[in-house]
Each structure stands twice: as C-alpha cells, then as structure tokens.
Amino acid sequence: EGYLEDENPSEAIKTAVEALQRFRDLGDSNAEHDTLRVIINSHRIESDLAFADSPVEAERIVEEEHSKFSAKGDKRGIAAMLLSRAECWCDRRRVKPSKLDEIENWTREALGTFRDIGDKKMIATALLELAHVQSLREQSAEVFDAASEAREFFKAIDDKKGDAPALHGGAYSS
C-alpha cells in the first residue's frame, strides 16, 4: 500500500502480485482479498495517470476474481470485488446517471456483507464509496451521513489515513 500512497502503481502491482501467490498458497483468504484490492487500485491509479476513460485492466481483474469467489461461495471475496467494481465504475470519465443505481446497489451489497462479518475497515471503505456515489448524484445529506459513519469506523480502528477522506467527504457535503 505504500507504493500506492507514493503513486507508484507499477511497483505496487509487482509487490502485490508476489504477495498474492503467497497468500493463496497459505490459504489466507482475507489477505488474498485485500491484496487483490491493492492490485486493482494500482491499476485504477495507472489508468487515471494515463488519462484513460476507464480502468480496463482493473475491471478485467474484478470480473475474473468475482467469478472465482462466486463459484467458491466466498462472501468476503465477492463483497470486496463488488466494492472494487463500484470504485472502477466511478473512475470512469463519464458515468451515466442511470448507472449510478447499479453502482449504489453493488456498494450497498458489499457494505451489507462487511457489516454481517464485522469487518470495520471494509465497512468504512464501503461507506466512503457510498458517499462518493451520493456525491455524483449531488445528494449532500446522504454524502454527509455516509462519510460521518465512515469516520466513526475509521476512528474505532485508529485509521487516520482512512479518516482523512471521510472528513473530506463530510466537508464536501456542507
């Protein structure tokens, strides 16, 4: 994740791909999901830095892994990929307003799963994406609500890096 913060997506991808195989070999599914999200987010950054209309490689990975997790019945993996799918679609240069309903549904489904399993960091991350979707709809009250709840979760796990964008989302909605 450090390479992502430095906007060095190629190094993040290289490091994460190596780690992904180790986590798969160990059978550590949570680490696998999280590492896949690092890879996907790295590809999203690459697309953004290249001014691409959409994060094509990130979306390819999301759909491939979503299918695998669905076949295995891996609820957290499915939720992680639904959230990544929503993030990828919101990265597109042009998002049709009609697509926002579907994006919100993916985000809410992921959020529900993360709530069910008690994954506070992923709950907060999904709430941030929900705030993002609501900002695209220009629904400031909903942005504020989702960002505020995300802040509560980030504070509960003492995640200052996560709290910053949640704080920004709350300020954006004012």
Side-chain angles (χ1 to χ4, degrees):
E1 289 183 343
Y3 289 120
L4 286 180
E5 292 167 15
D6 296 337
E7 289 191 356
N8 188 346
S10 59
E11 281 300 315
I13 292 167
K14 179 182 167 192
T15 303
V17 166
E18 292 170 8
L20 178 62
Q21 190 55 53
R22 282 190 227 122
F23 293 134
R24 284 181 169 160
D25 291 344
L26 292 170
D28 188 339
S29 60
N30 284 356
E32 177 185 1
H33 308 150
D34 295 342
T35 303
L36 280 165
R37 284 192 37 85
V38 168
I39 293 168
I40 291 163
N41 288 337
S42 298
H43 283 294
R44 290 175 54 218
I45 290 170
E46 277 187 331
S47 294
D48 188 50
L49 293 173
F51 300 101
D53 286 336
S54 64
V56 175
E57 181 61 11
E59 291 174 342
R60 184 195 66 74
I61 294 168
V62 165
E63 297 311 321
E64 181 179 301
E65 296 298 332
H66 182 267
S67 293
K68 290 177 187 177
F69 292 134
S70 294
K72 292 192 295 188
D74 182 339
K75 291 180 181 183
R76 187 178 186 275
I78 294 167
M81 294 304 104
L82 286 173
L83 179 57
S84 290
R85 181 188 289 161
E87 292 165 338
C88 286
W89 270 89
C90 285
D91 285 351
R92 290 173 178 246
R93 300 278 181 230
R94 293 173 294 277
V95 180
K96 293 180 181 177
S98 61
K99 190 69 175 179
L100 291 175
D101 287 339
E102 193 171 8
I103 294 168
E104 182 177 346
N105 288 339
W106 296 329
T107 306
R108 288 189 182 279
E109 185 177 340
L111 176 60
T113 298
F114 296 135
R115 286 187 193 280
D116 289 346
I117 61 177
D119 189 326
K120 291 179 181 179
K121 181 164 181 124
M122 292 306 291
I123 292 168
T125 303
L127 285 164
L128 278 181
E129 187 58 23
L130 184 59
H132 184 199
V133 173
Q134 300 302 358
S135 73
L136 294 173
R137 291 183 165 172
E138 299 179 359
Q139 296 177 330
S140 59
E142 289 82 357
V143 172
F144 181 81
D145 291 345
S148 295
E149 188 177 355
R151 282 201 75 202
E152 291 174 24
F153 280 98
F154 283 125
K155 284 181 179 180
I157 59 173
D158 196 32
D159 184 339
K160 290 176 180 50
K161 289 180 192 173
D163 189 36
L167 180 61
H168 179 263
Y172 168 85
S173 66
S174 299

